[in-house]
């Protein structure tokens, strides 16, 4: 039986990585749909600017600065949000970086890899743990985690970034049944290329590049629709899904051709 999706009447939405890109666009889209959105990132000035942009919408955005790499701070932040605004009904764990991704450099950049893996993996789980615990006690809630189509299989120029997103897909697949038993809807968001400050650094042509507002609409629609995976654009998603079933000799032959064009 399908679990109920959360609505603005159930509580507030919490978004990490909300200062720009997909996080900021989804915060505004949810505010248009009547949600009170607690927006989190490290830069309070950017969050306050986002909150002002929501003025006049059916819902609103409230700024709550926080660093997802600090587990104690994340637990305290969730407690503060719920004390001030009410229960977190929908959590969109979106904070992430792509340090070094999309750039061809000699050797392996250890510092960039450590930054990417720390934020993209541990930044998610440090936010996930406190909000999942509170939702479990209430027996209801909805959590969505941003991964990526890049996480389907190893692609050139995305070693650390792709590995971090593959880890998020695996994490959500593994936790799905635990969450379902606790009354929590768990979703994974796998976007393709979206025009954001993060992708501006990519030094290659990005197929099926989407505008960030269109991506935010797809994501918010996915929250309302339910289902485990929210993925877009579908043409790129199905192409990469098909690549997952190829044996290594064929797959690596294709990737050699891809790498030559980057």
């Amino acid at each position: 039986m399908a679990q109920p999706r959360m609505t603005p009447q159930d509580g507030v939405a919490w978004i990490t990585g909300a200062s720009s890109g997909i996080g900021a666009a989804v915060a505004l889209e949810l505010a248009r749909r009547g949600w009170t959105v607690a927006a989190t990132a490290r830069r309070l000035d950017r969050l306050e600017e986002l909150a002002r942009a929501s003025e006049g919408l059916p819902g609103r955005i409230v700024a709550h600065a926080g660093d997802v790499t600090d587990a104690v701070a994340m637990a305290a932040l969730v407690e503060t949000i719920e004390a001030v605004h009410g229960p977190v009904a929908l959590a969109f764990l979106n904070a992430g970086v792509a340090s070094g991704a999309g750039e061809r450099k000699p050797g392996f950049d250890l510092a960039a890899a450590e930054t990417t893996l720390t934020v993209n993996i541990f930044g998610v789980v440090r936010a996930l743990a406190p909000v999942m615990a509170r939702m479990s006690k209430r027996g209801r809630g909805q959590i969505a985690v941003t991964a990526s189509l890049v996480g389907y299989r190893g692609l050139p120029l995305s070693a650390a970034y792709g590995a971090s997103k593959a880890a998020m897909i695996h994490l959500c697949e593994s936790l799905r049944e635990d969450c379902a038993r606790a009354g929590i809807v768990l979703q994974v968001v796998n976007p393709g290329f979206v025009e954001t400050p993060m992708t501006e650094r990519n030094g290659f042509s990005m197929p099926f590049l989407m505008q960030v507002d269109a991506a935010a609409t797809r994501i918010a629609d996915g929250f309302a629709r339910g289902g485990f995976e929210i993925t877009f654009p579908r043409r790129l998603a199905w192409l990469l899904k098909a690549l997952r079933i190829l044996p290594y000799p064929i797959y690596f032959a294709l990737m050699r051709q891809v790498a030559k064009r980057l």
Side-chain angles (χ1 to χ4, degrees):
M1 184 175 65
Q3 293 175 293
R5 272 77 69 195
M6 297 296 101
T7 70
Q9 289 68 45
D10 295 307
V12 303
W14 177 40
I15 300 180
T16 64
S19 61
S20 65
I22 288 175
V26 172
L28 286 168
E29 181 60 28
L30 290 180
R32 292 186 191 100
R33 300 183 187 208
W35 284 91
T36 291
V37 181
T40 292
R42 287 179 299 176
R43 292 186 55 181
L44 184 59
D45 59 329
R46 298 288 295 273
L47 297 175
E48 290 175 339
E49 181 180 341
L50 181 65
R52 288 191 293 272
S54 72
E55 293 174 1
L57 296 178
R60 63 185 180 128
I61 296 173
V62 291
H64 286 271
D67 185 349
V68 295
T69 64
D70 186 334
V72 175
M74 282 297 100
L77 179 58
V78 173
E79 182 176 359
T80 297
I81 290 170
E82 295 206 334
V84 175
H85 306 293
V88 174
L90 170 63
F92 180 35
L93 307 182
N94 170 73
V97 297
S99 184
E103 302 174 12
R104 185 172 293 283
K105 297 179 179 179
F108 182 75
D109 191 333
L110 175 60
E114 287 183 336
T115 297
T116 297
L117 296 173
T118 296
V119 175
N120 293 6
I121 297 177
F122 294 105
V124 169
V125 298
R126 285 166 181 156
L128 175 67
V131 77
M132 183 174 169
R134 286 173 173 267
M135 288 180 179
S136 295
K137 287 182 179 179
R138 292 191 287 267
R140 60 191 288 109
Q142 187 169 353
I143 300 171
V145 174
T146 296
S148 170
L149 294 180
V150 175
Y152 282 171
R153 199 158 187 181
L155 298 173
L157 304 186
S158 63
Y161 181 75
S164 71
K165 296 308 183 180
M168 290 302 94
I169 294 171
H170 188 111
L171 177 76
C172 291
E173 290 174 346
S174 298
L175 286 176
R176 183 179 182 276
E177 292 308 314
D178 291 335
C179 285
R181 285 195 294 269
I184 301 169
V185 176
L186 179 63
Q187 298 177 286
V188 63
V189 181
N190 285 326
F193 295 110
V194 178
E195 191 169 355
T196 67
M198 185 181 294
T199 58
E200 284 178 357
R201 297 192 298 269
N202 289 343
F204 55 88
S205 177
M206 293 174 281
F208 308 112
L209 181 66
M210 292 185 66
Q211 297 296 311
V212 70
D213 289 343
T217 299
R218 297 279 188 98
I219 292 170
D221 286 347
F223 294 161
R225 182 175 60 249
F228 177 67
E229 185 183 33
I230 302 170
T231 185
F232 54 88
R234 292 199 176 276
R235 287 174 292 175
L236 182 59
W238 283 111
L239 173 61
L240 292 175
K241 285 177 187 288
L243 290 178
R244 291 191 294 185
I245 66 174
L246 293 179
Y248 279 131
I250 298 175
Y251 180 73
F252 288 139
L254 287 172
M255 290 304 102
R256 276 194 295 274
Q257 298 305 312
V258 170
K260 289 177 182 179
R261 291 171 168 79
L262 296 178

